[in-house]
Amino acid sequence: MDILFYHQLAYLFRMASIMNQKNPYLIIGGLLSIAAAFMHLAIIFGGGDWYRFFGAGEELASMDEQGSWYPAILTLGIASVLFLWGLYAFSGAQTIRRLPFLRTALVIISAIYLLRGLAFLPAWVIQPELVTGFIIWSSLISLGFGLAYALGTWRAWPNIQPKTP
């Protein structure tokens, strides 16, 4: 147990060192996206109750409980996208190799997260009775992810110029 604790502590110090040298916003954004990807994978294994708890809705939860593959495939697709977005954040922070279309991807990922984070506002104004707790907290989480990506992209912009032939 003590050895595991020291390894985890050493890992945290290495991450803090990397964050001081690189782009902490994109590193945090990447870690958040990877964590969200793993959460989606856990939902697949958690089954219908997990789909309900995380706000996927009764229809997907029921489909999962009836043995349909659709919820798992859909959730696996979302997890894959989130994992890829995490890799793009790490690439923008220059902690892994440069991925194709890096600048474009980071701008699009930032925009998607920010738009998802702000999407509840028009619904709240037009039909506030439809805005649930899940919509609010998931929007705030997405907004936080989007801010991390947007600030990190802005900070990395001069360093992620497209390669000239």
Side-chain angles (χ1 to χ4, degrees), residues 84-104:
L84 181 64
W85 288 2
L87 292 179
Y88 267 95
F90 296 143
S91 180
Q94 298 176 332
T95 59
I96 64 171
R97 73 174 190 85
R98 183 184 175 88
L99 295 176
F101 309 106
L102 181 59
R103 291 176 93 184
T104 304

Side-chain angles (χ1 to χ4, degrees), residues 127-147:
Q127 290 186 309
E129 67 276 2
L130 297 180
V131 178
T132 64
F134 168 77
I135 290 173
I136 293 171
W137 67 257
S138 63
S139 294
L140 292 175
I141 290 170
S142 294
L143 187 60
F145 284 33
L147 288 172

